Amino acid sequence: MLNVAREILGGEVYIHQSRINDKPGFNGKEFYWHSDFETWHSEDGMPAMRALSCSILLTDNSEANGPLLLIPGSHRHYVSCIGETPDENYKRSLKKQEIGVPDEGLLRYLADMGGIVSCTGKAGSVVFFDCNAMHGSNSNITPYPRSNVFFVYNSIANKLAQPTGGLTARPEFVATREDIAPLSPLPLAI
């Protein structure tokens, strides 16, 4: 995965953020459409679109159990969302995305151009997507859980600056700022 991230981003990388996205059976919540870069730019001070997400499917992801939805080609269009981002927005946005979401007309425009795809696959599958890609997911009302782990790779040349608009930087456990060094693959054990 590290070599894929380095190839796509054109150089050395570090982990900007990691998280588990868990949708238990019967009551896994939806996550509204958004572009990660819009948040990372305004709340973390990420200067450019030189980051990508890597989602490792921990369970089977089917059309029915709330898989990641992507709008192909949307990464080519920066969508600035209306409204002001409050300080410490991460306390709410990591649970439910309500601020920094595009308006319905723009979503329709992007979906009409690129369609919508479900990222389905067996446990162990890996999905990479651009930091500016519009994505979201439906709820999971099936009896089958859907769990993914996400690693966000950022170019070492794209380290975080001060957040825009005078916001306080999100804490280290949300956005890596300290002790940044290029990742190196571990040697293979024989």
Side-chain angles (χ1 to χ4, degrees):
M1 293 180 304
L2 175 58
N3 287 334
V4 171
R6 287 155 78 180
E7 179 70 25
I8 292 170
L9 294 174
E12 298 299 326
V13 298
Y14 70 96
I15 299 289
H16 165 67
Q17 183 182 90
S18 62
R19 63 191 176 281
I20 293 177
N21 184 269
D22 185 41
K23 288 190 179 197
F26 298 114
N27 62 5
K29 302 295 181 211
E30 75 283 345
F31 211 80
Y32 198 72
W33 292 106
H34 66 285
S35 156
D36 290 328
F37 179 72
E38 217 247 342
T39 297
W40 298 340
H41 180 65
S42 65
E43 294 185 46
D44 296 334
M46 184 177 283
M49 296 178 202
R50 298 277 317 279
L52 59 91
S53 289
C54 170
S55 176
I56 304 167
L57 284 55
L58 300 177
T59 59
D60 291 351
N61 283 219
S62 72
E63 291 282 345
N65 67 351
L68 175 70
L69 301 173
L70 285 165
I71 298 179
S74 61
H75 67 287
R76 294 186 201 104
H77 306 275
Y78 177 70
V79 176
S80 181
C81 300
I82 297 171
E84 237 180 85
T85 302
D87 225 7
E88 298 187 334
N89 184 49
Y90 72 92
K91 291 178 178 178
R92 291 175 300 281
S93 68
L94 293 175
K95 295 175 185 170
K96 185 174 184 178
Q97 189 79 21
E98 295 178 303
I99 295 172
V101 297
D103 70 46
E104 292 177 2
L106 284 171
L107 281 171
R108 171 55 88 96
Y109 174 77
L110 292 171
D112 285 349
M113 283 194 316
I116 297 173
V117 296
S118 298
C119 297
T120 60
K122 295 287 185 190
S125 299
V126 177
V127 176
F128 284 91
F129 61 98
D130 186 85
C131 67
N132 194 47
M134 198 61 66
H135 63 287
S137 61
N138 293 322
S139 63
N140 180 15
I141 59 171
T142 72
Y144 310 108
R146 193 282 272 168
S147 296
N148 299 345
V149 63
F150 285 83
F151 295 100
V152 176
Y153 293 98
N154 190 22
S155 168
I156 203 80
N158 197 39
K159 291 179 187 175
L160 305 182
Q162 286 302 308
T164 59
L167 294 174
T168 304
R170 296 193 300 174
E172 184 73 12
F173 71 87
V174 177
T176 303
R177 294 178 169 282
E178 301 171 10
D179 303 320
I180 293 173
L183 295 172
S184 299
L186 295 173
L188 294 176
I190 298 177

